[in-house]
Amino acid sequence: MNRIFIVAQSEFLTLVKTKAFIIGLLLMPVITAGAIGFQIYAQKHSDRDDHKFVVIDHTGVLFTPLQTAANAFNAKNGEGATRTGPHFVPEAAAAPADADAYRLALSEQVKQKQLFGFVEIPAGVVDPNVEKAPSIQYYTETPSYDRLPDWLQQTLNEEITRRRFDTAGVDQALVKKLSARADVQTMGLVGKKADGSVEKAKEVDPIATFVAPFAVLFIMFLSVMSSAPQLLNAVIEEKMSRISEVLVASVSPFELLLGKLFGVTAVAVLLALVYFLGAGYYMIYSGRTELVQPALMAWFVIFLICCVLMFGSMFLAIGSACSDLKDAQSMMQPVMMLLMVGYIGSFAVLRAPESPVALTLSFFPTSAPFIMMLRMAMQPTPPLWQPALSLALTLVTTVGFVWAASRIFRVGVLMQGKGATFREMLKWIRQA
Amino acid sequence: MAAIEIAQVTKRFGEFTAVNNVSLSVPEGSIYGFIGPNGSGKTTTIRMIMNILLPDAGSVAVFGRHSSSTARDDVGYLPEERGLYKRMEVRRLLRYYGQLKGKALKDIDPVINTWLERFQLSGWANKKIEALSKGMAQKTQFISAIVSSPKLLILDEPFSGLDPVNADALKDAVLDLRRQGTTIVFSTHDMTAAERLCDRIFMIFKGNKVLDGTLNEIQSTYGHDTVRVKVAGGRAALAAATDPSTIEAMNDFGNFQELRLTSDPQRFLQSLVQKTVVEHFELTRPSLHDIFVRIANPSAEDLKRPVSGAD
């Protein structure tokens, strides 16, 4: 037992001292925040060009209001160094004799970057009597840029609607008032207070509904991903440099395997705790103490331990059976896929937490730690028998995986030469 | 009590018999050399002593105990191909190896300090292994094998790849450890080192024990038939004056020839002086190198066989 601890301690220290871990631990939140910040900044600041476009206005009435709206838009985005967005510069079209030739000429101008694009507004758009208004054509070389067409659609339609109402002699302000929409508000259920009176239902908030469960899932995934796969590299390094021979001359392969698994599990738990502490601090700081749930944390830690042990054993078994990293890369693909099932499946589960897919994934041992935790962090929480059964299945599977891995590890860690196939690994498991 | 007692041990890997009915007794406090060509069973034997492999038949006892972890704790081991954790600091690595042998840090630290100082590595104790030169890493690896102050030290090819200065430093260290009572077993291809260091020599070939005894005993078993001869006229004159059927093998050293005879050396000399002028005639004992080559006589097939872990 003592030696298992010594191996675990060494494994833990080795992993915790790696730059990757320290960066992952300390900088991960910083990098995430930085990335979001940069994205916002880039969106605001990268698009600061003048976009000149020609407007072929067959209605004859829309160009002037469009230009007015463009001026307002440009003014809002500022001028010179303090400018925060693009300027839209509409230009009235000449009256062309040949429409097709004119479109071709404009297209050439766009290609030569003299224009950003051009818009053709059919005459029928302002007619209040047409059943379906003809569409406005926007011609561009850069269809991925959607700010200009979005702005055109909104600005032109506001003006078109106003004109149709005017033509029909309807007061637009009255229509707006009469057609005001009633929103649907999503509420939680009504409960009873301690004194027996009815407690008012609370409005469902997106943080509790989506953000918190997803954060729980993400922390689980992150903790497993940054710990268990490390075992693969560690074992292959030891094997290739014959360190494993020295280790096995001091401790039994099973002690070595358990020590490594425990060391890596400790790393995963440490990582998760640090993230939860951060999240918990933030919740308390922002007055959302009801989101800090110690019982959920306890379930999380147990599921996390099982998950790391399960995947850690798989990586150890593969590492011990391979002769080099290249060999291992291909063999670890199925394990990585198994690891991803829980993560990818979570998107379906988030939408329908009680669907058959969600139930299956909650009881399938390799995805259970992810999916069951996700569901437990969501509303409605599953009945207690579900996480209990899920945990029982996961525990049994974990024990099975560790056992099988120890059988493979025992043979594989001393093997030199070519790596083993999955079939050979199965044979090693069955061998007495 | 013998440090190692191997009794009729057999180890097979599938159809291949790596070690066949081998018995061996290594006395406490001796230096025992294991020799044999690649793939002959040395490493398999060592691994059975280390309890890394279990024999299919027979028994292995270390200090009277069979395959227990306590017996293993008394054994230090330096494997043939050496590696260390590149990103671990020297002291941390040595402590780890010592702790794995069940030793407390308070017992390990003085040993580490003594040996680091002896190998002039004190200044490197807190540096990572990857910062060490090859020679320093080899010495660190040697310390890792003795950090638990083992009663038995097993070294697999300890001198291969070392420069002469480091090889000498290691040989001195081995002799010092023996003086302090440590039993040492080492496998080697360096026959000169084996002759110089070993009290007893064990040779295994194709899984079978072929030699086991002191250098003296071995040389006198193989030593009756080797002579060094110098005749006027050199090698050509010697060839002309001798009957080829009386010579089993000849090793030409230029100035003289070393012959392994099929007949009695006295009779051979008598016949030789009748035919030519003998300038020098000496009965010699064959070197360990010669004995090794004579037994192993590697055929092309043997040389082609890959060196695998199932040695």
Side-chain angles (χ1 to χ4, degrees), chain A residues 53-89:
Chain A
F53 57 98
V54 164
V55 183
I56 309 169
D57 180 14
H58 294 291
T59 65
V61 293
L62 287 175
F63 179 74
T64 314
L66 190 68
Q67 197 163 35
T68 314
N71 291 341
F73 177 84
N74 298 346
K76 205 179 81 197
N77 280 342
E79 285 293 344
T82 56
R83 188 160 150 181
T84 56
H87 282 187
F88 295 146
V89 186

Side-chain angles (χ1 to χ4, degrees), chain A residues 3 6-7 9-10 13-14 17 237-238 241-243 245-252 260 414 416, chain B residues 47 50 52 72-73 77 79 81-89 92 96-97 99-102 309:
Chain A
R3 299 197 194 191
I6 290 165
V7 176
Q9 191 188 29
S10 170
L13 287 176
T14 305
K17 277 186 177 175
E237 186 199 346
E238 284 173 1
S241 57
R242 308 275 176 130
I243 295 171
E245 210 167 299
V246 179
L247 296 179
V248 173
S250 303
V251 293
S252 73
K260 285 181 172 300
L414 289 173
Q416 299 290 337
Chain B
R47 284 182 170 182
M50 293 306 309
I52 297 174
R72 203 156 48 184
D73 286 348
Y77 178 46
E81 282 167 62
R82 286 153 232 179
L84 296 162
Y85 293 101
K86 289 192 186 67
R87 282 178 288 281
M88 234 190 236
E89 298 84 8
R92 203 182 125 211
Y96 180 44
Y97 279 25
Q99 283 182 301
L100 284 180
K101 288 286 185 195

Side-chain angles (χ1 to χ4, degrees), chain B residues 230-247:
Chain B
K230 188 177 181 189
V231 298
R235 183 184 169 164
L238 179 67
T242 50
D243 170 7
S245 70
T246 60
I247 299 169

Side-chain angles (χ1 to χ4, degrees), chain A residues 403 407 410 423-432:
Chain A
W403 175 81
R407 312 281 292 179
R410 190 187 51 155
R423 187 179 298 227
E424 279 168 306
M425 286 163 76
L426 282 177
K427 209 175 89 190
W428 293 349
I429 294 175
R430 285 198 299 265
Q431 260 170 14

Side-chain angles (χ1 to χ4, degrees), chain A residues 24-36:
Chain A
L25 193 66
L26 300 178
L27 288 187
M28 185 70 178
V30 180
I31 290 170
T32 314
I36 294 170

